[in-house]
Coordinates of all heavy atoms in Angstrom, one line a residue:
M1 N 121.6 249.5 186.2 CA 120.6 248.6 185.8 C 120.6 247.4 186.8 O 121.6 246.8 187.0 CB 120.9 248.1 184.4 CG 119.9 247.0 183.9 SD 120.4 246.6 182.3 CE 119.0 245.8 181.8
A2 N 119.5 247.2 187.5 CA 119.4 246.1 188.4 C 119.1 244.8 187.7 O 118.3 244.8 186.8 CB 118.3 246.4 189.5
V3 N 119.7 243.8 188.1 CA 119.5 242.4 187.5 C 118.8 241.6 188.6 O 119.4 241.4 189.7 CB 120.8 241.8 187.1 CG1 120.6 240.4 186.5 CG2 121.5 242.7 186.0
N4 N 117.7 241.1 188.2 CA 117.0 240.1 189.1 C 117.6 238.7 188.9 O 117.5 238.2 187.8 CB 115.5 240.1 188.9 CG 114.8 241.0 189.8 OD1 115.3 241.4 190.8 ND2 113.6 241.3 189.4
R5 N 118.1 238.1 189.9 CA 118.6 236.8 189.8 C 117.7 235.8 190.6 O 117.5 236.1 191.8 CB 120.0 236.7 190.2 CG 120.9 237.4 189.3 CD 122.3 237.2 189.6 NE 123.1 238.0 188.6 CZ 124.3 237.6 188.2 NH1 124.8 236.5 188.6 NH2 124.9 238.4 187.3
I6 N 117.4 234.8 190.0 CA 116.6 233.8 190.8 C 117.6 232.8 191.4 O 118.4 232.2 190.7 CB 115.6 233.0 189.9 CG1 114.6 234.1 189.3 CG2 114.9 232.0 190.6 CD1 113.7 233.5 188.2
K7 N 117.5 232.7 192.7 CA 118.3 231.8 193.4 C 117.7 230.4 193.3 O 116.5 230.2 193.5 CB 118.4 232.1 194.9 CG 119.2 233.4 195.2 CD 119.3 233.6 196.7 CE 120.1 234.8 197.0 NZ 120.3 235.0 198.4
P8 N 118.6 229.4 193.0 CA 118.1 228.1 192.9 C 117.7 227.6 194.3 O 118.3 228.0 195.3 CB 119.3 227.2 192.4 CG 120.5 228.1 192.6 CD 120.0 229.5 192.7
I9 N 116.6 226.9 194.4 CA 116.1 226.4 195.7 C 116.6 225.0 195.9 O 116.4 224.1 195.0 CB 114.5 226.4 195.7 CG1 114.0 227.8 195.5 CG2 114.0 225.8 197.0 CD1 112.5 227.9 195.4
R10 N 117.3 224.8 197.0 CA 117.8 223.5 197.3 C 116.9 222.9 198.4 O 116.7 223.5 199.4 CB 119.2 223.6 197.8 CG 119.7 222.2 198.1 CD 121.2 222.3 198.5 NE 121.6 220.9 198.9 CZ 121.9 220.6 200.1 NH1 121.9 221.5 201.0 NH2 122.3 219.4 200.4
S11 N 116.4 221.7 198.1 CA 115.5 221.1 199.1 C 116.2 219.8 199.6 O 116.7 219.0 198.8 CB 114.2 220.7 198.4 OG 113.4 220.0 199.3
D12 N 116.2 219.6 200.9 CA 116.7 218.4 201.4 C 115.6 217.4 201.7 O 115.8 216.4 202.4 CB 117.5 218.7 202.7 CG 118.8 219.4 202.5 OD1 119.3 219.3 201.4 OD2 119.2 220.2 203.3
T13 N 114.4 217.7 201.2 CA 113.3 216.8 201.3 C 113.3 215.8 200.2 O 113.4 216.1 199.1 CB 112.0 217.6 201.3 OG1 112.0 218.6 202.3 CG2 110.8 216.7 201.6
Y14 N 113.1 214.5 200.6 CA 113.1 213.4 199.7 C 111.7 212.9 199.4 O 110.8 213.0 200.3 CB 113.9 212.3 200.2 CG 115.4 212.7 200.5 CD1 115.7 213.0 201.8 CD2 116.3 212.7 199.5 CE1 117.0 213.3 202.1 CE2 117.6 213.1 199.8 CZ 118.0 213.4 201.1 OH 119.2 213.8 201.4
F15 N 111.5 212.4 198.3 CA 110.2 211.8 198.0 C 110.5 210.4 197.3 O 111.1 210.4 196.3 CB 109.3 212.6 197.0 CG 108.0 212.0 196.7 CD1 107.0 212.0 197.6 CD2 107.8 211.3 195.5 CE1 105.8 211.4 197.3 CE2 106.6 210.7 195.2 CZ 105.6 210.8 196.1
W16 N 110.1 209.4 198.0 CA 110.4 208.1 197.5 C 109.2 207.5 196.8 O 108.1 207.4 197.4 CB 110.8 207.2 198.7 CG 112.1 207.5 199.3 CD1 112.6 208.7 199.5 CD2 113.1 206.6 199.8 NE1 113.9 208.6 200.1 CE2 114.2 207.3 200.3 CE3 113.1 205.2 199.8 CZ2 115.3 206.7 200.8 CZ3 114.2 204.6 200.4 CH2 115.3 205.4 200.9
V17 N 109.3 207.1 195.6 CA 108.2 206.5 194.9 C 108.1 205.0 195.2 O 107.1 204.5 195.5 CB 108.3 206.7 193.3 CG1 107.2 206.0 192.6 CG2 108.3 208.2 193.0
L18 N 109.3 204.4 195.2 CA 109.3 203.0 195.4 C 110.7 202.6 196.0 O 111.7 202.9 195.4 CB 109.1 202.2 194.1 CG 109.1 200.7 194.2 CD1 108.0 200.1 195.0 CD2 109.1 200.1 192.7
V19 N 110.7 201.9 197.1 CA 112.0 201.4 197.7 C 112.1 200.0 197.2 O 111.1 199.2 197.4 CB 111.9 201.5 199.2 CG1 113.2 200.9 199.8 CG2 111.7 202.9 199.7
I20 N 113.2 199.6 196.6 CA 113.4 198.2 196.1 C 114.5 197.5 196.9 O 115.6 198.1 197.0 CB 113.7 198.2 194.6 CG1 112.5 198.9 193.9 CG2 113.9 196.8 194.1 CD1 112.8 199.0 192.4
E21 N 114.3 196.3 197.4 CA 115.3 195.5 198.0 C 115.3 194.2 197.2 O 114.3 193.5 197.1 CB 114.9 195.2 199.4 CG 115.9 194.3 200.1 CD 117.4 194.8 200.1 OE1 117.6 196.0 200.1 OE2 118.3 193.9 200.1
S22 N 116.5 193.9 196.6 CA 116.5 192.7 195.8 C 117.5 191.7 196.4 O 118.5 192.1 197.1 CB 117.0 193.0 194.4 OG 118.3 193.6 194.4
K23 N 117.2 190.4 196.3 CA 118.0 189.3 196.8 C 118.3 188.4 195.7 O 117.7 188.4 194.6 CB 117.2 188.6 197.9 CG 116.9 189.4 199.1 CD 118.2 189.8 199.8 CE 117.9 190.7 201.0 NZ 119.1 191.3 201.5
N24 N 119.3 187.5 195.9 CA 119.6 186.5 195.0 C 118.4 185.6 194.7 O 117.6 185.3 195.5 CB 120.8 185.7 195.6 CG 121.4 184.6 194.7 OD1 120.7 183.8 194.2 ND2 122.7 184.7 194.5
S25 N 118.4 185.0 193.5 CA 117.2 184.2 193.1 C 117.1 183.0 193.9 O 116.0 182.4 194.0 CB 117.4 183.8 191.6 OG 118.5 183.0 191.4
G26 N 118.1 182.5 194.6 CA 118.0 181.3 195.5 C 117.4 181.6 196.8 O 117.2 180.7 197.7
I27 N 117.2 182.9 197.1 CA 116.7 183.3 198.4 C 115.2 183.8 198.3 O 114.8 184.4 197.3 CB 117.6 184.5 199.0 CG1 119.0 184.0 199.2 CG2 117.0 185.1 200.3 CD1 120.0 185.1 199.5
N28 N 114.5 183.4 199.3 CA 113.0 183.9 199.3 C 113.0 185.4 199.3 O 113.7 186.1 200.0 CB 112.4 183.3 200.6 CG 110.9 183.6 200.7 OD1 110.4 184.7 200.4 ND2 110.2 182.6 201.2
A29 N 112.1 185.9 198.5 CA 111.9 187.3 198.3 C 111.6 188.1 199.6 O 112.0 189.2 199.8 CB 110.8 187.7 197.2
L30 N 110.9 187.4 200.5 CA 110.5 188.0 201.8 C 111.7 188.2 202.7 O 111.6 188.9 203.7 CB 109.4 187.2 202.5 CG 108.0 187.5 201.9 CD1 107.0 186.6 202.6 CD2 107.6 189.0 202.1
M31 N 112.8 187.6 202.4 CA 114.0 187.8 203.3 C 114.5 189.2 203.2 O 115.2 189.6 204.1 CB 115.1 186.8 202.8 CG 114.8 185.3 203.0 SD 114.5 184.9 204.7 CE 116.1 185.1 205.4
G32 N 114.1 190.0 202.2 CA 114.5 191.4 202.1 C 113.6 192.3 202.8 O 113.8 193.5 202.8
L33 N 112.5 191.8 203.4 CA 111.5 192.7 204.0 C 112.0 193.5 205.1 O 111.7 194.7 205.2 CB 110.3 191.9 204.5 CG 109.1 192.6 205.0 CD1 108.5 193.6 204.0 CD2 108.1 191.7 205.6
S34 N 112.8 193.0 206.0 CA 113.3 193.8 207.2 C 114.2 194.9 206.7 O 114.1 196.0 207.2 CB 114.0 192.9 208.2 OG 115.1 192.3 207.6
Q35 N 115.0 194.7 205.7 CA 115.9 195.7 205.2 C 115.1 196.8 204.5 O 115.3 198.0 204.7 CB 116.9 195.1 204.3 CG 118.1 195.9 204.0 CD 119.2 195.2 203.3 OE1 119.1 194.0 203.0 NE2 120.3 195.9 202.9
L36 N 114.1 196.4 203.7 CA 113.3 197.3 203.0 C 112.5 198.2 204.0 O 112.4 199.4 203.9 CB 112.3 196.6 202.2 CG 111.3 197.4 201.3 CD1 111.1 196.8 200.0 CD2 110.0 197.5 202.0
L37 N 111.9 197.6 205.1 CA 111.2 198.4 206.1 C 112.1 199.4 206.8 O 111.7 200.5 207.1 CB 110.5 197.4 207.1 CG 109.4 196.6 206.5 CD1 108.9 195.6 207.5 CD2 108.3 197.5 206.0
T38 N 113.4 199.0 207.0 CA 114.3 199.9 207.7 C 114.5 201.1 206.8 O 114.5 202.2 207.3 CB 115.6 199.2 208.0 OG1 115.4 198.0 208.8 CG2 116.6 200.1 208.6
Y39 N 114.8 200.9 205.5 CA 115.0 202.1 204.6 C 113.7 203.0 204.6 O 113.8 204.2 204.7 CB 115.3 201.6 203.2 CG 116.5 200.8 203.0 CD1 116.6 199.8 202.1 CD2 117.7 201.1 203.7 CE1 117.7 199.1 201.9 CE2 118.8 200.4 203.5 CZ 118.8 199.4 202.6 OH 120.0 198.7 202.4
A40 N 112.6 202.3 204.5 CA 111.3 203.1 204.3 C 111.0 203.8 205.6 O 110.6 205.0 205.5 CB 110.2 202.1 203.9
Y41 N 111.0 203.2 206.7 CA 110.6 203.8 208.0 C 111.5 205.1 208.3 O 111.0 206.0 208.8 CB 110.7 202.9 209.2 CG 109.5 202.0 209.3 CD1 109.6 200.6 209.5 CD2 108.2 202.4 209.1 CE1 108.5 199.8 209.6 CE2 107.1 201.6 209.2 CZ 107.3 200.3 209.5 OH 106.2 199.4 209.5
Q42 N 112.7 205.0 207.9 CA 113.6 206.2 208.1 C 113.2 207.4 207.3 O 113.5 208.5 207.7 CB 115.0 205.8 207.8 CG 115.7 204.8 208.8 CD 117.0 204.3 208.3 OE1 117.5 204.7 207.2 NE2 117.7 203.6 209.1
N43 N 112.4 207.2 206.3 CA 112.0 208.3 205.4 C 110.6 208.6 205.5 O 110.1 209.5 204.8 CB 112.4 207.9 203.9 CG 113.9 208.0 203.8 OD1 114.4 209.1 203.7 ND2 114.6 206.9 203.8
L44 N 109.8 208.0 206.4 CA 108.4 208.4 206.6 C 108.3 209.8 207.2 O 107.2 210.3 207.2 CB 107.7 207.4 207.5 CG 107.3 206.1 206.8 CD1 106.8 205.0 207.8 CD2 106.3 206.3 205.7
K45 N 109.4 210.3 207.7 CA 109.3 211.7 208.2 C 109.1 212.7 207.1 O 108.7 213.9 207.3 CB 110.5 212.1 209.1 CG 111.8 212.0 208.3 CD 113.0 212.1 209.3 CE 114.3 211.7 208.6 NZ 115.4 211.6 209.5
Y46 N 109.4 212.3 205.9 CA 109.3 213.2 204.7 C 107.9 213.0 204.0 O 107.6 213.9 203.2 CB 110.4 212.9 203.7 CG 111.8 213.2 204.3 CD1 112.7 212.1 204.5 CD2 112.2 214.4 204.7 CE1 113.9 212.3 205.0 CE2 113.4 214.6 205.3 CZ 114.3 213.6 205.4 OH 115.5 213.8 206.0
Q47 N 107.3 211.9 204.1 CA 106.0 211.6 203.4 C 105.2 210.7 204.2 O 105.7 210.0 205.1 CB 106.3 211.1 202.0 CG 107.1 209.8 202.0 CD 107.6 209.5 200.6 OE1 108.6 210.0 200.2 NE2 106.9 208.7 199.8
D48 N 103.9 210.6 203.9 CA 103.0 209.8 204.7 C 103.0 208.3 204.4 O 102.7 207.5 205.3 CB 101.5 210.3 204.5 CG 101.3 211.7 205.0 OD1 102.0 212.1 205.9 OD2 100.4 212.4 204.4
T49 N 103.3 208.0 203.2 CA 103.3 206.6 202.8 C 104.4 206.3 201.8 O 104.8 207.2 201.0 CB 101.9 206.2 202.2 OG1 101.9 204.8 201.9 CG2 101.6 207.0 200.9
I50 N 104.9 205.1 201.8 CA 105.9 204.7 200.8 C 105.6 203.3 200.3 O 105.2 202.5 201.1 CB 107.3 204.7 201.5 CG1 107.7 206.1 202.0 CG2 108.4 204.1 200.6 CD1 109.0 206.1 202.8
W51 N 105.8 203.1 199.1 CA 105.7 201.8 198.5 C 107.0 201.1 198.5 O 108.0 201.7 198.2 CB 105.1 201.8 197.1 CG 103.6 202.0 197.1 CD1 102.9 203.2 196.9 CD2 102.6 201.0 197.2 NE1 101.6 203.0 197.0 CE2 101.4 201.6 197.2 CE3 102.7 199.6 197.4 CZ2 100.2 200.9 197.3 CZ3 101.5 198.9 197.5 CH2 100.3 199.6 197.5
G52 N 107.0 199.8 198.8 CA 108.2 199.0 198.7 C 108.1 197.8 197.9 O 106.9 197.4 197.6
L53 N 109.2 197.3 197.4 CA 109.2 196.0 196.7 C 110.4 195.2 197.1 O 111.5 195.7 197.1 CB 109.2 196.3 195.2 CG 109.5 195.1 194.2 CD1 108.4 194.1 194.3 CD2 109.8 195.6 192.8
T54 N 110.1 194.0 197.5 CA 111.2 193.1 197.7 C 111.1 191.9 196.7 O 110.0 191.4 196.5 CB 111.3 192.5 199.2 OG1 112.4 191.7 199.4 CG2 110.0 191.9 199.6
T55 N 112.2 191.6 196.1 CA 112.2 190.6 195.0 C 113.5 189.8 194.9 O 114.5 190.2 195.4 CB 112.0 191.3 193.6 OG1 111.9 190.4 192.6 CG2 113.1 192.3 193.3
N56 N 113.3 188.6 194.4 CA 114.5 187.8 194.1 C 114.6 187.6 192.5 O 115.3 186.7 192.1 CB 114.4 186.4 194.8 CG 113.2 185.6 194.4 OD1 112.5 185.9 193.5 ND2 113.0 184.5 195.1
G57 N 113.9 188.4 191.8 CA 113.9 188.3 190.3 C 112.8 187.4 189.8 O 112.4 187.4 188.6
M58 N 112.2 186.5 190.6 CA 111.2 185.6 190.2 C 109.9 186.0 190.9 O 108.8 186.0 190.3 CB 111.5 184.1 190.5 CG 112.7 183.6 189.7 SD 112.3 183.3 188.0 CE 111.3 181.8 188.2
H59 N 110.0 186.2 192.2 CA 108.8 186.6 193.0 C 109.0 188.1 193.4 O 110.0 188.5 193.8 CB 108.8 185.7 194.3 CG 108.6 184.3 193.9 ND1 109.7 183.4 194.0 CD2 107.6 183.5 193.5 CE1 109.3 182.2 193.7 NE2 108.0 182.3 193.4
Y60 N 107.8 188.7 193.4 CA 107.8 190.2 193.6 C 106.7 190.4 194.7 O 105.6 190.1 194.6 CB 107.4 190.9 192.4 CG 108.5 190.9 191.3 CD1 108.6 189.7 190.5 CD2 109.4 191.9 191.1 CE1 109.6 189.6 189.6 CE2 110.4 191.8 190.2 CZ 110.5 190.7 189.4 OH 111.5 190.6 188.5
Q61 N 107.2 191.0 195.9 CA 106.3 191.3 197.0 C 106.3 192.8 197.2 O 107.2 193.4 197.6 CB 106.8 190.6 198.2 CG 106.0 190.8 199.5 CD 104.7 190.0 199.4 OE1 104.7 188.8 199.4 NE2 103.6 190.7 199.4
F62 N 105.1 193.4 196.8 CA 104.9 194.8 197.1 C 104.5 195.0 198.5 O 103.7 194.2 199.1 CB 103.9 195.4 196.1 CG 104.5 195.6 194.7 CD1 104.3 194.6 193.8 CD2 105.2 196.7 194.4 CE1 104.9 194.8 192.5 CE2 105.7 196.9 193.1 CZ 105.6 195.9 192.2
V63 N 104.9 196.1 199.1 CA 104.5 196.5 200.5 C 104.1 197.9 200.5 O 104.8 198.8 199.9 CB 105.8 196.3 201.4 CG1 105.4 196.5 202.8 CG2 106.4 194.9 201.2
N64 N 103.1 198.2 201.2 CA 102.6 199.6 201.4 C 103.0 200.0 202.9 O 102.5 199.3 203.8 CB 101.2 199.8 201.1 CG 100.7 201.2 201.3 OD1 100.2 201.6 202.3 ND2 101.0 202.0 200.3
I65 N 103.8 201.0 203.1 CA 104.2 201.4 204.4 C 103.6 202.7 204.7 O 103.7 203.7 203.9 CB 105.8 201.5 204.5 CG1 106.4 200.1 204.1 CG2 106.2 201.9 205.9 CD1 107.1 200.2 202.8
V66 N 102.9 202.8 205.8 CA 102.2 204.0 206.2 C 102.7 204.5 207.5 O 102.8 203.8 208.5 CB 100.6 203.7 206.3 CG1 99.9 205.0 206.7 CG2 100.1 203.1 205.0
G67 N 103.0 205.8 207.5 CA 103.6 206.5 208.7 C 102.5 206.8 209.7 O 101.4 206.3 209.7
G68 N 102.8 207.7 210.6 CA 101.9 208.2 211.7 C 102.5 207.8 213.0 O 103.6 207.5 213.2
N69 N 101.6 207.9 214.1 CA 102.0 207.6 215.4 C 102.4 206.1 215.6 O 103.3 205.8 216.4 CB 101.0 208.0 216.4 CG 100.7 209.5 216.5 OD1 101.6 210.2 216.2 ND2 99.6 209.9 216.9
N70 N 101.8 205.3 214.8 CA 102.1 203.9 214.9 C 102.2 203.4 213.5 O 101.3 202.8 212.9 CB 100.9 203.1 215.6 CG 101.3 201.7 215.9 OD1 102.4 201.3 215.9 ND2 100.2 200.9 216.1
P71 N 103.4 203.5 212.9 CA 103.6 203.1 211.5 C 103.3 201.6 211.3 O 103.5 200.8 212.1 CB 105.1 203.3 211.2 CG 105.6 204.3 212.3 CD 104.7 204.0 213.5
T72 N 102.7 201.3 210.1 CA 102.3 200.0 209.8 C 102.7 199.7 208.3 O 103.0 200.6 207.6 CB 100.7 199.8 209.9 OG1 100.1 200.7 209.0 CG2 100.3 200.0 211.3
Y73 N 102.6 198.4 208.0 CA 102.9 198.0 206.6 C 101.9 196.9 206.3 O 101.4 196.2 207.1 CB 104.3 197.6 206.4 CG 104.7 196.3 207.0 CD1 104.6 195.1 206.4 CD2 105.3 196.3 208.3 CE1 105.0 193.9 206.9 CE2 105.6 195.1 208.9 CZ 105.5 193.9 208.2 OH 105.9 192.7 208.8
Q74 N 101.6 196.9 205.0 CA 100.7 195.8 204.5 C 101.3 195.2 203.3 O 101.8 195.8 202.3 CB 99.3 196.5 204.0 CG 98.3 195.5 203.5 CD 97.0 196.1 203.1 OE1 96.9 197.3 203.0 NE2 96.1 195.3 202.7
L75 N 101.3 193.8 203.3 CA 101.9 193.1 202.2 C 100.8 192.9 201.1 O 99.7 192.5 201.5 CB 102.3 191.7 202.7 CG 103.5 191.6 203.7 CD1 103.7 190.2 204.1 CD2 104.7 192.2 203.1
M76 N 101.1 193.1 199.9 CA 100.2 192.9 198.8 C 100.4 191.5 198.3 O 101.4 190.8 198.8 CB 100.6 193.9 197.6 CG 100.5 195.3 198.0 SD 98.8 195.8 198.4 CE 98.9 196.4 200.0
P77 N 99.5 191.0 197.5 CA 99.7 189.6 197.0 C 101.0 189.3 196.3 O 101.5 190.2 195.6 CB 98.5 189.4 196.0 CG 97.5 190.4 196.5 CD 98.3 191.6 197.0
L78 N 101.6 188.2 196.6 CA 102.9 187.8 196.0 C 102.7 187.6 194.5 O 101.8 186.9 194.1 CB 103.5 186.6 196.7 CG 104.8 186.1 196.2 CD1 105.9 187.1 196.7 CD2 105.1 184.7 196.9
L79 N 103.6 188.2 193.7 CA 103.5 188.0 192.3 C 104.6 187.2 191.8 O 105.8 187.4 192.2 CB 103.5 189.4 191.6 CG 102.4 190.3 192.0 CD1 102.6 191.7 191.3 CD2 101.0 189.7 191.6
N80 N 104.3 186.3 190.9 CA 105.3 185.3 190.4 C 105.5 185.6 188.9 O 104.6 185.5 188.1 CB 104.9 183.9 190.6 CG 105.9 182.9 190.1 OD1 106.8 183.2 189.4 ND2 105.7 181.7 190.6
L81 N 106.7 185.9 188.5 CA 107.0 186.2 187.1 C 106.8 185.1 186.1 O 106.5 185.3 185.0 CB 108.5 186.7 187.0 CG 109.0 187.3 185.7 CD1 108.1 188.5 185.3 CD2 110.4 187.6 185.7
M82 N 106.8 183.9 186.6 CA 106.6 182.7 185.8 C 105.1 182.3 185.6 O 104.8 181.4 184.8 CB 107.3 181.5 186.4 CG 108.8 181.7 186.5 SD 109.6 182.4 185.0 CE 109.5 180.9 184.0
E83 N 104.2 183.0 186.2 CA 102.8 182.8 186.0 C 102.2 183.9 185.2 O 102.4 185.0 185.5 CB 102.1 182.7 187.4 CG 102.5 181.6 188.2 CD 101.9 181.6 189.6 OE1 101.1 182.6 189.9 OE2 102.2 180.7 190.4
S84 N 101.6 183.6 184.1 CA 101.2 184.6 183.1 C 100.3 185.7 183.7 O 100.5 186.8 183.5 CB 100.5 183.9 181.9 OG 99.3 183.2 182.2
D85 N 99.2 185.3 184.4 CA 98.3 186.3 185.0 C 99.1 187.2 186.0 O 98.9 188.4 186.1 CB 97.2 185.6 185.8 CG 96.2 185.0 184.8 OD1 96.2 185.3 183.6 OD2 95.4 184.1 185.2
S86 N 99.9 186.5 186.8 CA 100.7 187.3 187.8 C 101.7 188.2 187.1 O 101.9 189.3 187.6 CB 101.5 186.3 188.7 OG 102.1 186.9 189.7
S87 N 102.3 187.8 186.0 CA 103.3 188.6 185.4 C 102.7 189.8 184.7 O 103.2 190.9 184.7 CB 104.2 187.8 184.4 OG 103.4 187.3 183.4
I88 N 101.5 189.6 184.2 CA 100.7 190.7 183.6 C 100.4 191.8 184.7 O 100.5 193.0 184.5 CB 99.5 190.2 182.8 CG1 99.9 189.5 181.6 CG2 98.6 191.4 182.5 CD1 98.8 188.7 180.9
L89 N 99.9 191.3 185.8 CA 99.6 192.2 186.9 C 100.9 192.9 187.4 O 100.8 194.1 187.7 CB 99.0 191.4 188.1 CG 98.5 192.2 189.3 CD1 97.5 193.2 188.9 CD2 97.9 191.2 190.3
L90 N 102.0 192.2 187.4 CA 103.3 192.9 187.8 C 103.6 194.0 186.9 O 103.9 195.1 187.3 CB 104.4 191.8 187.8 CG 105.8 192.4 188.1 CD1 105.9 193.0 189.4 CD2 106.8 191.3 187.9
L91 N 103.5 193.8 185.6 CA 103.7 194.9 184.6 C 102.8 196.0 184.8 O 103.1 197.2 184.6 CB 103.7 194.3 183.2 CG 104.8 193.3 182.9 CD1 104.6 192.7 181.5 CD2 106.2 194.0 182.9
Q92 N 101.5 195.7 185.1 CA 100.5 196.8 185.3 C 100.9 197.6 186.5 O 100.8 198.9 186.5 CB 99.1 196.2 185.4 CG 98.6 195.6 184.1 CD 97.3 194.9 184.4 OE1 96.9 194.4 185.5 NE2 96.5 194.8 183.3
V93 N 101.3 197.0 187.6 CA 101.7 197.7 188.8 C 102.9 198.6 188.5 O 102.9 199.8 188.9 CB 102.0 196.7 189.9 CG1 102.7 197.4 191.1 CG2 100.8 196.0 190.4
L94 N 103.9 198.1 187.8 CA 105.1 198.8 187.5 C 104.8 200.0 186.6 O 105.3 201.1 186.8 CB 106.2 198.0 186.9 CG 106.8 196.9 187.8 CD1 107.7 196.0 187.1 CD2 107.5 197.6 189.0
K95 N 103.9 199.8 185.7 CA 103.4 200.9 184.8 C 102.7 202.0 185.6 O 103.0 203.2 185.4 CB 102.5 200.3 183.7 CG 102.1 201.4 182.7 CD 101.2 200.7 181.6 CE 100.7 201.8 180.7 NZ 99.8 201.2 179.6
A96 N 101.9 201.6 186.5 CA 101.2 202.6 187.4 C 102.2 203.4 188.2 O 102.0 204.6 188.4 CB 100.2 201.9 188.2
I97 N 103.2 202.7 188.7 CA 104.2 203.4 189.5 C 105.0 204.4 188.7 O 105.3 205.5 189.2 CB 105.2 202.4 190.2 CG1 104.5 201.6 191.3 CG2 106.4 203.1 190.7 CD1 105.2 200.4 191.8
C98 N 105.2 204.1 187.4 CA 105.9 205.0 186.5 C 105.1 206.3 186.3 O 105.7 207.3 186.0 CB 106.2 204.4 185.2 SG 107.5 203.1 185.3
K99 N 103.8 206.2 186.5 CA 103.0 207.4 186.3 C 102.9 208.3 187.5 O 102.4 209.4 187.4 CB 101.6 207.0 185.9 CG 101.5 206.3 184.5 CD 100.1 205.9 184.2 CE 100.0 205.3 182.8 NZ 98.6 205.0 182.5
L100 N 103.5 207.9 188.6 CA 103.5 208.7 189.8 C 104.3 209.9 189.7 O 105.3 210.0 189.1 CB 103.9 207.9 191.0 CG 103.0 206.8 191.5 CD1 103.6 206.1 192.7 CD2 101.6 207.4 191.9

């Protein structure tokens, strides 16, 4: 009797939904941008675009990083947790990311 066994497939391909770089609350959230971009650019060989977030716990800066021959990034509006409209928008963005 022959037994068919399915071999598990191992993939070394990564998919990053969101790269997060966090800093101390006393440091400007944008101070983490260069580190975030370094992580993201290294993984653009696996996917076309990566979302990033640099934060100090109060301010949240989302970044869209796009690969290609000349990789680029775009800063989204800075969100502040202490402003009600901004904090609602922050929660909406995080909720949308969870659906990816």
Side-chain angles (χ1 to χ4, degrees):
M1 177 180 198
V3 177
N4 266 342
R5 294 189 180 212
I6 299 173
K7 290 184 179 181
I9 298 173
R10 180 173 177 251
S11 173
D12 290 332
T13 303
Y14 303 98
F15 180 78
W16 292 37
V17 175
L18 178 66
V19 178
I20 301 174
E21 178 57 33
S22 62
K23 296 295 180 192
N24 186 305
S25 62
I27 298 175
N28 185 317
L30 280 176
M31 294 301 290
L33 183 61
S34 61
Q35 197 170 359
L36 181 141
L37 292 174
T38 300
Y39 296 145
Y41 280 134
Q42 292 172 353
N43 288 283
L44 283 172
K45 59 186 167 192
Y46 301 114
Q47 62 194 81
D48 296 332
T49 184
I50 297 174
W51 280 96
L53 168 65
T54 181
T55 181
N56 63 5
M58 296 285 287
H59 299 103
Y60 294 78
Q61 180 73 63
F62 285 92
V63 184
N64 183 260
I65 303 108
V66 179
N69 291 336
N70 188 18
T72 59
Y73 68 91
Q74 180 180 7
L75 297 176
M76 299 296 122
L78 183 67
L79 300 175
N80 183 342
L81 191 59
M82 300 310 291
E83 296 173 0
S84 61
D85 290 342
S86 186
S87 62
I88 290 170
L89 184 56
L90 174 62
L91 292 173
Q92 290 172 337
V93 170
L94 293 172
K95 183 178 177 182
I97 289 169
C98 288
K99 291 181 179 182
L100 292 178

